[in-house]
Amino acid sequence: GGREAMLVFDLLSSCSLARYESGDHVAVYPANDSSLVNQIGEILGTDLDTIMSLNNLDEESNKKHPFPCPTSYRTALTYYLDITNPPRTNVLYELAQYATDAGEQERLRKMASSAAEGKALYLSWVVEARRNILAILQDMPSLCPPIDHLCELLPRLQARYYSIASSSKVHPNAIHICAVTVEYETKTGRLNKGVATNWLKDKVPDENRSNSLVPMYVRKSQFRLPFKPSTPVIMIGPGTGIAPFIGFIQERAWLKQQGKEVGDTVLYYGCRHEREDYLYREELARFHQEGVLTQLNVAFSRDQAEKVYVQHLLKKNKENIWKLVNEENAHIYVCGDARNMARDVQNTFYEIVAEFGNMSQPQAVDYVKKLMTKGRYSLDVWS
C-alpha cells in the first residue's frame, strides 16, 4: 500500500548538470532510516560513531574501498549500505559462523545451501517474510557478527530512479517526480518502509527548515517526444506511469503557445478508484479543456464489477488508434509496470494491427517490432 506523492525538486540554478529533457529519469540517493541504523548498532553493541576504514585486500581489484573511507559505521549504514532488502544467501552463509546457538547456525547454513529444503526455507523465512538484516538479527538472538564484517557483506545502497514529470521548457529550474510512498506490514508484523520515498517524504520543507538538499543526477532516457510537434502521440501510463506524460503534455502545451502546429495528443491512464487515486486529475482536466490533450481516456479498474484496464480502452478505440499509427505516423509511449501492463498493451497493439491491417499474427508482431526499431514505440517500464 501507500499514498502517491508529487515532489518538486528546485535545481540550484548554477547546477548545469541537472539540465534535463521531458522523459529523462532523475536518480535520487536516499538515506536509511536512522532508527534502523541505531537498532543495528545496539544489537551489535557497537559505538556507531567509531571511525573505520575498510580496505580491499584483493590486489587485482580497482576499488581500494567498498565505499568512501575512512568513515563512521553510522555513515556507512545510513548512506552506503542496503539494510532494508532481504539479504542474499551468501550473506547468510558468511554470518552463520557468528551464531553461538548450534540450531540457529544450522538454519542459516541450510538457507544458504542449494538443497531444495534450504531454498524453500530461505524463500519463506527471508524473502516472503521480507526479513531485512535487522529482523534477522532480532529473530536469531545468538547471532552477533562483528560490525566490520557485516559492513563488508552488505550490498551497496542504490540510487532510485524516477521518471521526470515535468518539462524543462516550462520548469527549467525544477524537476518534478511522482512516486508512491511504500509502506507495508510483513508476515512477522513488522512495518517495512520504502527507503527513498519515505526519506523524500520527510524532506518536505516546513516552516522552520527553509529547504532540504537531495543528492541526485539526471539520466538521459530514450523516451523522447517526436522531433516534429505535428506528429501525434499516444501515451499509455497507468498509475505512476503517468509521470513522464505530464512532462510531455506540458511541453506540447508550450509548443502550442509558441504558435507551433501540434498533432493529436492522446492519453490512456488507469488507476484503481476515481475518487482516491486519480493522479494529476485537475491538470489533466485543464489540459483537456484547453485542447492540448486531444483525448483523455481513463480506466478505473475497481469502480465497477468487471476490471477495466488501459488495454480495454485501447480496444474500444481501435479504429482511431490504427488511423493515428498507420496514417498519421503517431508515436506510441508505454510507461509503468513491466510485468503485466506493458505486455498486455503490446498484445492489444498486435490485435489492432492484425485486424485493421489485414495481417496475420506474425506479420502484426513484425509491424509492431518495426515501430520499436524506428523509435515510434517506446517503453519506460519497471518491475
Side-chain angles (χ1 to χ4, degrees):
R3 305 298 314 141
E4 282 84 5
M6 328 289 179
L7 287 163
V8 177
F9 300 122
D10 283 316
L11 303 175
L12 306 168
S13 48
S14 60
C15 175
S16 56
L17 285 174
R19 289 223 182 93
Y20 72 95
E21 285 188 59
S22 311
D24 282 341
H25 299 139
V26 62
V28 169
Y29 286 101
N32 286 313
D33 188 333
S34 56
S35 80
L36 295 182
V37 174
N38 288 334
Q39 289 177 71
I40 291 176
E42 275 163 39
I43 284 188
L44 301 182
T46 310
D47 173 4
L48 291 175
D49 296 310
T50 309
I51 303 295
M52 57 92 164
S53 200
L54 283 183
N55 298 317
N56 199 335
L57 298 178
D58 177 5
E59 309 280 306
E60 307 290 288
S61 175
N62 53 359
K63 271 203 175 149
K64 200 164 167 234
H65 312 287
F67 41 75
C69 287
T71 187
S72 69
Y73 290 121
R74 185 184 306 284
T75 301
L77 290 168
T78 305
Y79 298 104
Y80 300 136
L81 297 169
D82 180 345
I83 58 174
T84 56
N85 272 314
R88 309 259 299 256
T89 51
N90 63 317
V91 177
L92 300 183
Y93 180 78
E94 288 282 333
L95 291 179
Q97 57 182 312
Y98 300 114
T100 50
D101 176 273
E104 288 183 359
Q105 188 172 80
E106 196 206 2
R107 276 193 83 171
L108 284 163
R109 289 236 164 88
K110 185 190 267 179
M111 287 192 284
S113 75
S114 51
E117 191 190 349
K119 279 185 170 159
L121 183 61
Y122 173 72
L123 198 67
S124 70
W125 200 77
V126 179
V127 181
E128 284 162 13
R130 299 292 304 167
R131 270 187 175 84
N132 57 29
I133 189 65
L134 175 61
I136 289 172
L137 292 169
Q138 286 168 339
D139 294 345
M140 292 204 165
S142 88
L143 178 61
C144 194
I147 191 162
D148 42 10
H149 197 180
L150 187 68
C151 289
E152 199 183 313
L153 291 171
L154 291 173
R156 281 295 295 266
L157 182 58
Q158 300 296 329
R160 306 304 202 256
Y161 290 96
Y162 299 96
S163 301
I164 295 178
S166 51
S167 159
S168 51
K169 306 271 197 300
V170 182
H171 299 282
N173 299 321
I175 282 182
H176 298 203
I177 66 167
C178 165
V180 177
T181 44
V182 180
E183 247 183 47
Y184 59 92
E185 194 174 312
T186 68
K187 288 179 176 166
T188 62
R190 293 179 167 94
L191 184 67
N192 276 12
K193 294 178 169 192
V195 176
T197 50
N198 283 281
W199 176 73
L200 286 169
K201 195 174 75 180
D202 295 336
K203 283 266 176 199
V204 175
D206 51 27
E207 290 77 66
N208 45 23
R209 275 200 321 224
S210 56
N211 58 9
S212 328
L213 296 174
V214 171
M216 54 183 251
Y217 68 89
V218 170
R219 177 176 74 176
K220 294 279 162 223
S221 95
Q222 298 305 306
F223 225 55
R224 284 281 178 268
L225 275 171
F227 182 64
K228 281 181 17 208
S230 57
T231 305
V233 296
I234 300 168
M235 305 171 289
I236 301 150
T240 52
I242 182 133
F245 301 138
I246 297 296
F248 278 10
I249 301 164
Q250 279 179 5
E251 188 142 328
R252 305 264 287 186
W254 179 84
L255 288 163
K256 219 173 171 159
Q257 280 168 349
Q258 305 292 305
K260 299 269 196 303
E261 183 202 334
V262 175
D264 279 8
T265 305
V266 176
L267 177 67
Y268 286 85
Y269 166 66
C271 59
R272 289 184 177 186
H273 301 283
E274 176 168 11
R275 286 220 318 279
E276 289 156 41
D277 38 24
Y278 189 163
L279 299 173
Y280 296 99
R281 172 206 288 262
E282 288 78 24
E283 286 99 315
L284 291 171
R286 196 179 65 243
F287 283 129
H288 193 215
Q289 250 172 328
E290 293 167 0
V292 176
L293 197 50
T294 325
Q295 286 178 38
L296 173 56
N297 307 287
V298 190
F300 303 108
S301 60
R302 307 287 164 86
D303 281 347
Q304 61 285 310
E306 72 298 342
K307 295 209 170 106
V308 179
Y309 294 121
V310 282
Q311 62 270 24
H312 300 128
L313 299 185
L314 290 168
K315 281 183 189 145
K316 230 168 68 182
N317 300 340
K318 47 194 184 178
E319 287 182 67
N320 173 252
I321 289 204
W322 174 247
K323 182 174 169 291
L324 287 171
V325 173
N326 190 51
E327 291 172 30
E328 301 184 28
N329 281 327
H331 282 217
I332 300 158
Y333 302 89
V334 183
C335 181
D337 160 51
R339 276 171 306 210
N340 310 312
M341 183 277 298
R343 190 192 56 226
D344 294 342
V345 164
Q346 207 163 317
N347 288 335
T348 305
F349 274 103
Y350 295 155
E351 280 175 42
I352 294 173
V353 170
E355 182 181 341
F356 290 91
N358 297 323
M359 298 181 204
S360 65
Q361 176 71 9
Q363 284 173 312
V365 169
D366 194 49
Y367 180 96
V368 173
K369 292 261 155 71
K370 279 215 175 68
L371 290 179
M372 290 180 169
T373 15
K374 286 186 193 139
R376 279 184 53 200
Y377 189 126
S378 312
L379 294 157
D380 178 5
V381 294
W382 54 83
S383 52

mmCIF file with all atom_site columns, all heavy atoms in Angstrom, residues 178-198:
data_model
loop_
_atom_site.group_PDB
_atom_site.id
_atom_site.type_symbol
_atom_site.label_atom_id
_atom_site.label_alt_id
_atom_site.label_comp_id
_atom_site.label_asym_id
_atom_site.label_entity_id
_atom_site.label_seq_id
_atom_site.pdbx_PDB_ins_code
_atom_site.Cartn_x
_atom_site.Cartn_y
_atom_site.Cartn_z
_atom_site.occupancy
_atom_site.B_iso_or_equiv
_atom_site.pdbx_formal_charge
_atom_site.auth_seq_id
_atom_site.auth_comp_id
_atom_site.auth_asym_id
_atom_site.auth_atom_id
_atom_site.pdbx_PDB_model_num
ATOM 1   N N   . CYS A 1 178 ? 6.780  11.923  -9.464  1.00 0.00 ? 178 CYS A N   1
ATOM 2   C CA  . CYS A 1 178 ? 5.535  11.428  -8.903  1.00 0.00 ? 178 CYS A CA  1
ATOM 3   C C   . CYS A 1 178 ? 5.862  10.028  -8.398  1.00 0.00 ? 178 CYS A C   1
ATOM 4   O O   . CYS A 1 178 ? 6.337  9.195   -9.148  1.00 0.00 ? 178 CYS A O   1
ATOM 5   C CB  . CYS A 1 178 ? 4.518  11.367  -10.032 1.00 0.00 ? 178 CYS A CB  1
ATOM 6   S SG  . CYS A 1 178 ? 3.086  10.420  -9.642  1.00 0.00 ? 178 CYS A SG  1
ATOM 7   N N   . ALA A 1 179 ? 5.660  9.780   -7.103  1.00 0.00 ? 179 ALA A N   1
ATOM 8   C CA  . ALA A 1 179 ? 6.050  8.487   -6.546  1.00 0.00 ? 179 ALA A CA  1
ATOM 9   C C   . ALA A 1 179 ? 5.025  8.032   -5.523  1.00 0.00 ? 179 ALA A C   1
ATOM 10  O O   . ALA A 1 179 ? 4.230  8.826   -5.032  1.00 0.00 ? 179 ALA A O   1
ATOM 11  C CB  . ALA A 1 179 ? 7.414  8.602   -5.887  1.00 0.00 ? 179 ALA A CB  1
ATOM 12  N N   . VAL A 1 180 ? 5.036  6.736   -5.240  1.00 0.00 ? 180 VAL A N   1
ATOM 13  C CA  . VAL A 1 180 ? 4.143  6.193   -4.212  1.00 0.00 ? 180 VAL A CA  1
ATOM 14  C C   . VAL A 1 180 ? 4.985  5.895   -2.985  1.00 0.00 ? 180 VAL A C   1
ATOM 15  O O   . VAL A 1 180 ? 6.006  5.210   -3.088  1.00 0.00 ? 180 VAL A O   1
ATOM 16  C CB  . VAL A 1 180 ? 3.496  4.881   -4.698  1.00 0.00 ? 180 VAL A CB  1
ATOM 17  C CG1 . VAL A 1 180 ? 2.625  4.271   -3.604  1.00 0.00 ? 180 VAL A CG1 1
ATOM 18  C CG2 . VAL A 1 180 ? 2.648  5.138   -5.926  1.00 0.00 ? 180 VAL A CG2 1
ATOM 19  N N   . THR A 1 181 ? 4.583  6.421   -1.827  1.00 0.00 ? 181 THR A N   1
ATOM 20  C CA  . THR A 1 181 ? 5.348  6.078   -0.628  1.00 0.00 ? 181 THR A CA  1
ATOM 21  C C   . THR A 1 181 ? 5.018  4.637   -0.279  1.00 0.00 ? 181 THR A C   1
ATOM 22  O O   . THR A 1 181 ? 3.852  4.259   -0.186  1.00 0.00 ? 181 THR A O   1
ATOM 23  C CB  . THR A 1 181 ? 4.995  6.967   0.580   1.00 0.00 ? 181 THR A CB  1
ATOM 24  O OG1 . THR A 1 181 ? 3.582  7.106   0.634   1.00 0.00 ? 181 THR A OG1 1
ATOM 25  C CG2 . THR A 1 181 ? 5.631  8.324   0.463   1.00 0.00 ? 181 THR A CG2 1
ATOM 26  N N   . VAL A 1 182 ? 6.054  3.849   -0.117  1.00 0.00 ? 182 VAL A N   1
ATOM 27  C CA  . VAL A 1 182 ? 5.881  2.421   0.115   1.00 0.00 ? 182 VAL A CA  1
ATOM 28  C C   . VAL A 1 182 ? 5.898  2.136   1.618   1.00 0.00 ? 182 VAL A C   1
ATOM 29  O O   . VAL A 1 182 ? 6.816  2.546   2.317   1.00 0.00 ? 182 VAL A O   1
ATOM 30  C CB  . VAL A 1 182 ? 7.008  1.627   -0.573  1.00 0.00 ? 182 VAL A CB  1
ATOM 31  C CG1 . VAL A 1 182 ? 6.842  0.141   -0.339  1.00 0.00 ? 182 VAL A CG1 1
ATOM 32  C CG2 . VAL A 1 182 ? 7.032  1.947   -2.062  1.00 0.00 ? 182 VAL A CG2 1
ATOM 33  N N   . GLU A 1 183 ? 4.870  1.456   2.080   1.00 0.00 ? 183 GLU A N   1
ATOM 34  C CA  . GLU A 1 183 ? 4.786  1.050   3.480   1.00 0.00 ? 183 GLU A CA  1
ATOM 35  C C   . GLU A 1 183 ? 3.908  -0.184  3.538   1.00 0.00 ? 183 GLU A C   1
ATOM 36  O O   . GLU A 1 183 ? 2.821  -0.182  2.980   1.00 0.00 ? 183 GLU A O   1
ATOM 37  C CB  . GLU A 1 183 ? 4.102  2.152   4.304   1.00 0.00 ? 183 GLU A CB  1
ATOM 38  C CG  . GLU A 1 183 ? 5.015  2.806   5.293   1.00 0.00 ? 183 GLU A CG  1
ATOM 39  C CD  . GLU A 1 183 ? 4.306  3.840   6.165   1.00 0.00 ? 183 GLU A CD  1
ATOM 40  O OE1 . GLU A 1 183 ? 3.216  3.520   6.687   1.00 0.00 ? 183 GLU A OE1 1
ATOM 41  O OE2 . GLU A 1 183 ? 4.847  4.942   6.302   1.00 0.00 ? 183 GLU A OE2 1
ATOM 42  N N   . TYR A 1 184 ? 4.389  -1.228  4.169   1.00 0.00 ? 184 TYR A N   1
ATOM 43  C CA  . TYR A 1 184 ? 3.540  -2.426  4.265   1.00 0.00 ? 184 TYR A CA  1
ATOM 44  C C   . TYR A 1 184 ? 3.927  -3.217  5.498   1.00 0.00 ? 184 TYR A C   1
ATOM 45  O O   . TYR A 1 184 ? 5.046  -3.111  6.004   1.00 0.00 ? 184 TYR A O   1
ATOM 46  C CB  . TYR A 1 184 ? 3.688  -3.302  3.004   1.00 0.00 ? 184 TYR A CB  1
ATOM 47  C CG  . TYR A 1 184 ? 5.094  -3.773  2.743   1.00 0.00 ? 184 TYR A CG  1
ATOM 48  C CD1 . TYR A 1 184 ? 5.544  -5.001  3.247   1.00 0.00 ? 184 TYR A CD1 1
ATOM 49  C CD2 . TYR A 1 184 ? 5.991  -2.987  2.014   1.00 0.00 ? 184 TYR A CD2 1
ATOM 50  C CE1 . TYR A 1 184 ? 6.837  -5.421  3.027   1.00 0.00 ? 184 TYR A CE1 1
ATOM 51  C CE2 . TYR A 1 184 ? 7.288  -3.398  1.794   1.00 0.00 ? 184 TYR A CE2 1
ATOM 52  C CZ  . TYR A 1 184 ? 7.707  -4.615  2.303   1.00 0.00 ? 184 TYR A CZ  1
ATOM 53  O OH  . TYR A 1 184 ? 8.987  -5.035  2.089   1.00 0.00 ? 184 TYR A OH  1
ATOM 54  N N   . GLU A 1 185 ? 2.972  -4.009  5.977   1.00 0.00 ? 185 GLU A N   1
ATOM 55  C CA  . GLU A 1 185 ? 3.263  -4.838  7.131   1.00 0.00 ? 185 GLU A CA  1
ATOM 56  C C   . GLU A 1 185 ? 3.698  -6.221  6.644   1.00 0.00 ? 185 GLU A C   1
ATOM 57  O O   . GLU A 1 185 ? 3.104  -6.777  5.725   1.00 0.00 ? 185 GLU A O   1
ATOM 58  C CB  . GLU A 1 185 ? 2.013  -4.963  8.008   1.00 0.00 ? 185 GLU A CB  1
ATOM 59  C CG  . GLU A 1 185 ? 2.335  -5.529  9.380   1.00 0.00 ? 185 GLU A CG  1
ATOM 60  C CD  . GLU A 1 185 ? 1.126  -5.521  10.330  1.00 0.00 ? 185 GLU A CD  1
ATOM 61  O OE1 . GLU A 1 185 ? 0.460  -4.479  10.425  1.00 0.00 ? 185 GLU A OE1 1
ATOM 62  O OE2 . GLU A 1 185 ? 0.881  -6.571  10.932  1.00 0.00 ? 185 GLU A OE2 1
ATOM 63  N N   . THR A 1 186 ? 4.764  -6.760  7.254   1.00 0.00 ? 186 THR A N   1
ATOM 64  C CA  . THR A 1 186 ? 5.244  -8.067  6.830   1.00 0.00 ? 186 THR A CA  1
ATOM 65  C C   . THR A 1 186 ? 4.519  -9.154  7.622   1.00 0.00 ? 186 THR A C   1
ATOM 66  O O   . THR A 1 186 ? 3.811  -8.862  8.580   1.00 0.00 ? 186 THR A O   1
ATOM 67  C CB  . THR A 1 186 ? 6.758  -8.214  7.089   1.00 0.00 ? 186 THR A CB  1
ATOM 68  O OG1 . THR A 1 186 ? 6.966  -8.252  8.498   1.00 0.00 ? 186 THR A OG1 1
ATOM 69  C CG2 . THR A 1 186 ? 7.534  -7.055  6.493   1.00 0.00 ? 186 THR A CG2 1
ATOM 70  N N   . LYS A 1 187 ? 4.758  -10.399 7.203   1.00 0.00 ? 187 LYS A N   1
ATOM 71  C CA  . LYS A 1 187 ? 4.126  -11.536 7.889   1.00 0.00 ? 187 LYS A CA  1
ATOM 72  C C   . LYS A 1 187 ? 4.514  -11.605 9.363   1.00 0.00 ? 187 LYS A C   1
ATOM 73  O O   . LYS A 1 187 ? 3.814  -12.193 10.171  1.00 0.00 ? 187 LYS A O   1
ATOM 74  C CB  . LYS A 1 187 ? 4.543  -12.848 7.209   1.00 0.00 ? 187 LYS A CB  1
ATOM 75  C CG  . LYS A 1 187 ? 3.895  -13.039 5.861   1.00 0.00 ? 187 LYS A CG  1
ATOM 76  C CD  . LYS A 1 187 ? 4.374  -14.338 5.221   1.00 0.00 ? 187 LYS A CD  1
ATOM 77  C CE  . LYS A 1 187 ? 3.658  -14.586 3.901   1.00 0.00 ? 187 LYS A CE  1
ATOM 78  N NZ  . LYS A 1 187 ? 4.328  -15.631 3.130   1.00 0.00 ? 187 LYS A NZ  1
ATOM 79  N N   . THR A 1 188 ? 5.675  -11.013 9.694   1.00 0.00 ? 188 THR A N   1
ATOM 80  C CA  . THR A 1 188 ? 6.112  -11.083 11.093  1.00 0.00 ? 188 THR A CA  1
ATOM 81  C C   . THR A 1 188 ? 5.548  -9.911  11.892  1.00 0.00 ? 188 THR A C   1
ATOM 82  O O   . THR A 1 188 ? 5.899  -9.697  13.046  1.00 0.00 ? 188 THR A O   1
ATOM 83  C CB  . THR A 1 188 ? 7.657  -11.056 11.190  1.00 0.00 ? 188 THR A CB  1
ATOM 84  O OG1 . THR A 1 188 ? 8.130  -9.802  10.658  1.00 0.00 ? 188 THR A OG1 1
ATOM 85  C CG2 . THR A 1 188 ? 8.288  -12.201 10.425  1.00 0.00 ? 188 THR A CG2 1
ATOM 86  N N   . GLY A 1 189 ? 4.668  -9.115  11.245  1.00 0.00 ? 189 GLY A N   1
ATOM 87  C CA  . GLY A 1 189 ? 4.036  -7.996  11.945  1.00 0.00 ? 189 GLY A CA  1
ATOM 88  C C   . GLY A 1 189 ? 4.886  -6.738  11.995  1.00 0.00 ? 189 GLY A C   1
ATOM 89  O O   . GLY A 1 189 ? 4.544  -5.779  12.666  1.00 0.00 ? 189 GLY A O   1
ATOM 90  N N   . ARG A 1 190 ? 6.015  -6.740  11.263  1.00 0.00 ? 190 ARG A N   1
ATOM 91  C CA  . ARG A 1 190 ? 6.852  -5.537  11.241  1.00 0.00 ? 190 ARG A CA  1
ATOM 92  C C   . ARG A 1 190 ? 6.349  -4.580  10.161  1.00 0.00 ? 190 ARG A C   1
ATOM 93  O O   . ARG A 1 190 ? 5.774  -5.014  9.171   1.00 0.00 ? 190 ARG A O   1
ATOM 94  C CB  . ARG A 1 190 ? 8.299  -5.912  10.910  1.00 0.00 ? 190 ARG A CB  1
ATOM 95  C CG  . ARG A 1 190 ? 8.984  -6.730  11.985  1.00 0.00 ? 190 ARG A CG  1
ATOM 96  C CD  . ARG A 1 190 ? 10.408 -7.077  11.549  1.00 0.00 ? 190 ARG A CD  1
ATOM 97  N NE  . ARG A 1 190 ? 11.201 -7.589  12.658  1.00 0.00 ? 190 ARG A NE  1
ATOM 98  C CZ  . ARG A 1 190 ? 11.337 -8.882  12.920  1.00 0.00 ? 190 ARG A CZ  1
ATOM 99  N NH1 . ARG A 1 190 ? 10.713 -9.780  12.168  1.00 0.00 ? 190 ARG A NH1 1
ATOM 100 N NH2 . ARG A 1 190 ? 12.078 -9.273  13.942  1.00 0.00 ? 190 ARG A NH2 1
ATOM 101 N N   . LEU A 1 191 ? 6.604  -3.305  10.359  1.00 0.00 ? 191 LEU A N   1
ATOM 102 C CA  . LEU A 1 191 ? 6.244  -2.322  9.333   1.00 0.00 ? 191 LEU A CA  1
ATOM 103 C C   . LEU A 1 191 ? 7.485  -2.019  8.507   1.00 0.00 ? 191 LEU A C   1
ATOM 104 O O   . LEU A 1 191 ? 8.462  -1.482  9.023   1.00 0.00 ? 191 LEU A O   1
ATOM 105 C CB  . LEU A 1 191 ? 5.711  -1.046  9.991   1.00 0.00 ? 191 LEU A CB  1
ATOM 106 C CG  . LEU A 1 191 ? 5.204  0.010   9.001   1.00 0.00 ? 191 LEU A CG  1
ATOM 107 C CD1 . LEU A 1 191 ? 3.946  -0.486  8.290   1.00 0.00 ? 191 LEU A CD1 1
ATOM 108 C CD2 . LEU A 1 191 ? 4.920  1.325   9.705   1.00 0.00 ? 191 LEU A CD2 1
ATOM 109 N N   . ASN A 1 192 ? 7.474  -2.416  7.244   1.00 0.00 ? 192 ASN A N   1
ATOM 110 C CA  . ASN A 1 192 ? 8.596  -2.105  6.352   1.00 0.00 ? 192 ASN A CA  1
ATOM 111 C C   . ASN A 1 192 ? 8.260  -0.858  5.548   1.00 0.00 ? 192 ASN A C   1
ATOM 112 O O   . ASN A 1 192 ? 7.134  -0.708  5.071   1.00 0.00 ? 192 ASN A O   1
ATOM 113 C CB  . ASN A 1 192 ? 8.855  -3.274  5.391   1.00 0.00 ? 192 ASN A CB  1
ATOM 114 C CG  . ASN A 1 192 ? 9.726  -4.341  6.032   1.00 0.00 ? 192 ASN A CG  1
ATOM 115 O OD1 . ASN A 1 192 ? 9.952  -4.336  7.231   1.00 0.00 ? 192 ASN A OD1 1
ATOM 116 N ND2 . ASN A 1 192 ? 10.216 -5.268  5.210   1.00 0.00 ? 192 ASN A ND2 1
ATOM 117 N N   . LYS A 1 193 ? 9.255  -0.011  5.374   1.00 0.00 ? 193 LYS A N   1
ATOM 118 C CA  . LYS A 1 193 ? 9.017  1.225   4.624   1.00 0.00 ? 193 LYS A CA  1
ATOM 119 C C   . LYS A 1 193 ? 9.982  1.328   3.464   1.00 0.00 ? 193 LYS A C   1
ATOM 120 O O   . LYS A 1 193 ? 11.149 0.945   3.593   1.00 0.00 ? 193 LYS A O   1
ATOM 121 C CB  . LYS A 1 193 ? 9.237  2.443   5.533   1.00 0.00 ? 193 LYS A CB  1
ATOM 122 C CG  . LYS A 1 193 ? 8.234  2.572   6.656   1.00 0.00 ? 193 LYS A CG  1
ATOM 123 C CD  . LYS A 1 193 ? 8.599  3.791   7.493   1.00 0.00 ? 193 LYS A CD  1
ATOM 124 C CE  . LYS A 1 193 ? 7.476  4.127   8.464   1.00 0.00 ? 193 LYS A CE  1
ATOM 125 N NZ  . LYS A 1 193 ? 7.709  5.456   9.053   1.00 0.00 ? 193 LYS A NZ  1
ATOM 126 N N   . GLY A 1 194 ? 9.509  1.860   2.362   1.00 0.00 ? 194 GLY A N   1
ATOM 127 C CA  . GLY A 1 194 ? 10.392 2.102   1.222   1.00 0.00 ? 194 GLY A CA  1
ATOM 128 C C   . GLY A 1 194 ? 11.435 3.138   1.608   1.00 0.00 ? 194 GLY A C   1
ATOM 129 O O   . GLY A 1 194 ? 11.101 4.168   2.185   1.00 0.00 ? 194 GLY A O   1
ATOM 130 N N   . VAL A 1 195 ? 12.693 2.852   1.287   1.00 0.00 ? 195 VAL A N   1
ATOM 131 C CA  . VAL A 1 195 ? 13.789 3.729   1.719   1.00 0.00 ? 195 VAL A CA  1
ATOM 132 C C   . VAL A 1 195 ? 13.644 5.133   1.130   1.00 0.00 ? 195 VAL A C   1
ATOM 133 O O   . VAL A 1 195 ? 13.598 6.129   1.844   1.00 0.00 ? 195 VAL A O   1
ATOM 134 C CB  . VAL A 1 195 ? 15.159 3.147   1.287   1.00 0.00 ? 195 VAL A CB  1
ATOM 135 C CG1 . VAL A 1 195 ? 16.291 4.102   1.643   1.00 0.00 ? 195 VAL A CG1 1
ATOM 136 C CG2 . VAL A 1 195 ? 15.378 1.799   1.962   1.00 0.00 ? 195 VAL A CG2 1
ATOM 137 N N   . ALA A 1 196 ? 13.594 5.199   -0.189  1.00 0.00 ? 196 ALA A N   1
ATOM 138 C CA  . ALA A 1 196 ? 13.680 6.514   -0.836  1.00 0.00 ? 196 ALA A CA  1
ATOM 139 C C   . ALA A 1 196 ? 12.414 7.337   -0.651  1.00 0.00 ? 196 ALA A C   1
ATOM 140 O O   . ALA A 1 196 ? 12.482 8.519   -0.331  1.00 0.00 ? 196 ALA A O   1
ATOM 141 C CB  . ALA A 1 196 ? 13.978 6.330   -2.325  1.00 0.00 ? 196 ALA A CB  1
ATOM 142 N N   . THR A 1 197 ? 11.252 6.712   -0.855  1.00 0.00 ? 197 THR A N   1
ATOM 143 C CA  . THR A 1 197 ? 10.022 7.517   -0.819  1.00 0.00 ? 197 THR A CA  1
ATOM 144 C C   . THR A 1 197 ? 9.761  8.068   0.574   1.00 0.00 ? 197 THR A C   1
ATOM 145 O O   . THR A 1 197 ? 9.323  9.210   0.729   1.00 0.00 ? 197 THR A O   1
ATOM 146 C CB  . THR A 1 197 ? 8.814  6.703   -1.317  1.00 0.00 ? 197 THR A CB  1
ATOM 147 O OG1 . THR A 1 197 ? 8.780  5.449   -0.628  1.00 0.00 ? 197 THR A OG1 1
ATOM 148 C CG2 . THR A 1 197 ? 8.889  6.459   -2.801  1.00 0.00 ? 197 THR A CG2 1
ATOM 149 N N   . ASN A 1 198 ? 10.053 7.276   1.613   1.00 0.00 ? 198 ASN A N   1
ATOM 150 C CA  . ASN A 1 198 ? 9.829  7.778   2.965   1.00 0.00 ? 198 ASN A CA  1
ATOM 151 C C   . ASN A 1 198 ? 10.870 8.823   3.356   1.00 0.00 ? 198 ASN A C   1
ATOM 152 O O   . ASN A 1 198 ? 10.564 9.787   4.056   1.00 0.00 ? 198 ASN A O   1
ATOM 153 C CB  . ASN A 1 198 ? 9.803  6.622   3.966   1.00 0.00 ? 198 ASN A CB  1
ATOM 154 C CG  . ASN A 1 198 ? 8.473  5.887   3.893   1.00 0.00 ? 198 ASN A CG  1
ATOM 155 O OD1 . ASN A 1 198 ? 7.476  6.337   4.438   1.00 0.00 ? 198 ASN A OD1 1
ATOM 156 N ND2 . ASN A 1 198 ? 8.431  4.782   3.176   1.00 0.00 ? 198 ASN A ND2 1
#
